[in-house]
Amino acid sequence: MLEWKKLLSSARRKDLSNKGDPVPLNAAGTRTEIERDYDRILFSTPVRRLADKTQVFPLDKNDSVRNRLTHSHEVSNLARSIGVALVHDDKNNIPKDDQTKRDLPSMLAAIGLAHDLGNPPFGHQGEKAISSWFTKNAKTALNFGRVKGVRKVEIERMKSDYLNFEGNAQTFRILTKLQILNDEFGLNVCCGTLAALMKYPVTSELVSNDSKATKKFGCFHSELVCLEEVFKETGLARGTRHPLAYIMEACDDIAYSVLDAEDAVKKGLVSYTDILSYLTATYPDDKMIKKIVEKADERHVIHRTHNLSPAELNDISTQMFRVFAIGEMIRAAISAFDDNYNLIMNGKFDGDLIGSSTAKLACKGLKDFSYKHAFVHRSVLAVELQGYNVIHSLMDMMWDSIAARGDPLTVDARDSTADVFQRYVYNRISENYRRIFEDKSNCLPLNYKRSQLLADMISGMTDSYAVSLEQELTALRSIKD
């Protein structure tokens, strides 16, 4: 049985290593350590980059259409709201002390805000582009040779890390390694927060469709020690999700299903009535859908009596649909958590909250609707294709520059055999990422470190920066050639 005291652990890896400050920075503060986690994440650079990363519509110029930052704030808000409800809910056995009432909602807010930090530019197409580049160049980039002291299973894990690049694992790497590089602890957020963030608590070689928790992976080989420290502190193990990970996943599902449909309306691809017609025709007997549609239509009738333009009527009716749909889905997710509480706390729940709730068909219907009418719209596919090509072009140029740099354990940067263009490209890679690559204590296989440097740089880019940098480097390469 999992224990909430461990699951909400406010211990930080830096303190556990005895390398922490002798006096806690917040010794005289009013915030709890978990509340500080949210603030640390909020003020970090990767969060700001989310403002120019794709949610559904790449490089969109419509300010009202969501990007990854607005999506993350919305997931964070929904998660915090559910957390507040759960700590005042007598239907579960979550502790009701004052500390838990503060920490549990704050932890949910933190992981909701952080859950997409590792996503590359151009959304999930960016992940596919990175993976396909490594698949295409595996013989070169992922050829680790025979490495003394490294087992075959570890070599296969390292290859799988990039043949199936995963933004969730990059998020864990960002928080534990890539930020605030004055030491090896990254943002040094609490172990409980790191554990709750892991939707897929396994490494890449253990990915399997046998379980929801192993469908993807949440940790690269390079952060395996961090993962084990987090598991030890929180009482979790590979393949066992933190209970709050289910809440965050549900909020992500709610945001994707309802808000992506709303964005399709804002883009003018569909209308309010299109959404309702699709849902009622597809699932005519679903009670939740009927309830949402009836409530939304009542407001729609009222709005029609006002002096609104067709565009305004469409917009405000969709907004009210969103309000009612989110409210019903949140209540359904809370009920599903309470109903499955014992299975979750015993690590035996192998479902997801929305899929196990009365909101299942409403969520599925809205996702299917958005896919058919928005995700595969030619305007979206055209920009996604552009993003795919931009990422491949950047990776080609950057890999050559990284390889030309030589092995940082034996070759000084000044002694590199790289030409002028390759030196220029290498120096356009973030200094933070290069510092990790060149660290003398980093004894991972050379090509793994090279692949990691490449993936760190690409996944850290915003959509606009990726496009502009690719154009700049391509122009300079043509002059060189």
Side-chain angles (χ1 to χ4, degrees), residues 296-308 313:
D297 251 349
E298 286 176 7
R299 291 298 183 95
H300 180 64
V301 170
I302 295 172
H303 295 148
R304 291 186 63 166
T305 65
H306 299 155
N307 188 25
L308 299 173
L313 178 61

Side-chain angles (χ1 to χ4, degrees), residues 40-53 68-69 72 113-114 116-119 170-171 174-175 178-180 187 432-433 459-462:
R40 288 187 181 200
I41 294 166
L42 178 64
F43 287 102
S44 68
T45 300
V47 167
R48 295 193 293 278
R49 289 186 183 131
L50 293 175
D52 188 16
K53 287 196 176 187
R68 283 283 166 181
L69 181 60
S72 297
L113 181 61
D116 271 350
L117 289 184
N119 277 36
Q170 188 69 20
T171 296
I174 286 171
L175 293 181
L178 297 184
Q179 291 300 298
I180 311 183
L187 278 182
N432 287 356
Y433 305 152
S459 62
M461 293 182 185
T462 65

Side-chain angles (χ1 to χ4, degrees), residues 199-210:
K199 192 172 169 184
Y200 306 105
V202 293
T203 42
S204 59
E205 84 282 8
L206 297 177
V207 170
S208 167
N209 288 325
D210 294 341

Side-chain angles (χ1 to χ4, degrees), residues 193-376:
T193 303
L194 289 172
L197 181 68
M198 296 201 73
K199 192 172 169 184
Y200 306 105
V202 293
T203 42
S204 59
E205 84 282 8
L206 297 177
V207 170
S208 167
N209 288 325
D210 294 341
S211 166
K212 292 274 188 180
T214 61
K215 187 173 65 173
K216 298 179 182 180
F217 66 98
C219 177
F220 293 125
H221 174 79
S222 51
E223 281 71 59
L224 187 56
V225 172
C226 303
L227 181 66
E228 297 296 347
E229 290 173 353
V230 169
F231 282 164
K232 182 179 179 181
E233 182 62 26
T234 57
L236 294 169
R238 295 189 198 189
T240 301
R241 277 181 176 176
H242 191 293
L244 299 189
Y246 292 102
I247 302 292
M248 185 266 285
E249 179 183 47
C251 294
D252 200 19
D253 282 340
I254 293 170
Y256 264 120
S257 61
V258 179
L259 304 179
D260 288 356
E262 183 182 25
D263 278 352
V265 173
K266 290 182 181 295
K267 285 281 290 182
L269 303 178
V270 295
S271 68
Y272 160 76
T273 54
D274 289 333
I275 298 175
L276 268 60
S277 297
Y278 181 87
L279 290 176
T280 53
T282 308
Y283 301 110
D285 300 321
D286 186 74
K287 293 181 179 179
M288 177 170 287
I289 289 176
K290 284 183 178 180
K291 188 174 183 180
I292 295 170
V293 168
E294 287 174 1
K295 285 184 174 182
D297 251 349
E298 286 176 7
R299 291 298 183 95
H300 180 64
V301 170
I302 295 172
H303 295 148
R304 291 186 63 166
T305 65
H306 299 155
N307 188 25
L308 299 173
S309 69
E312 288 173 319
L313 178 61
N314 193 38
D315 191 47
I316 194 169
S317 295
T318 304
Q319 288 180 40
M320 293 314 301
F321 171 83
R322 178 240 299 161
V323 170
F324 295 131
I326 287 178
E328 292 297 329
M329 287 184 174
I330 284 180
R331 283 187 282 273
I334 292 170
S335 294
F337 186 86
D338 288 340
D339 292 343
N340 294 284
Y341 182 81
N342 289 333
L343 287 174
I344 291 171
M345 295 305 293
N346 282 298
K348 295 181 179 180
F349 181 59
D350 191 33
D352 63 270
L353 294 185
I354 294 297
S356 305
S357 76
T358 55
K360 178 180 180 179
L361 295 183
C363 184
K364 183 179 186 304
L366 285 168
K367 284 184 176 180
D368 290 345
F369 174 83
S370 295
Y371 179 80
K372 291 177 181 178
H373 298 286
F375 293 6
V376 294

Side-chain angles (χ1 to χ4, degrees), residues 14-15 18-25:
K14 186 173 183 178
D15 296 327
N18 296 319
K19 295 180 181 179
D21 296 316
V23 179
L25 293 176

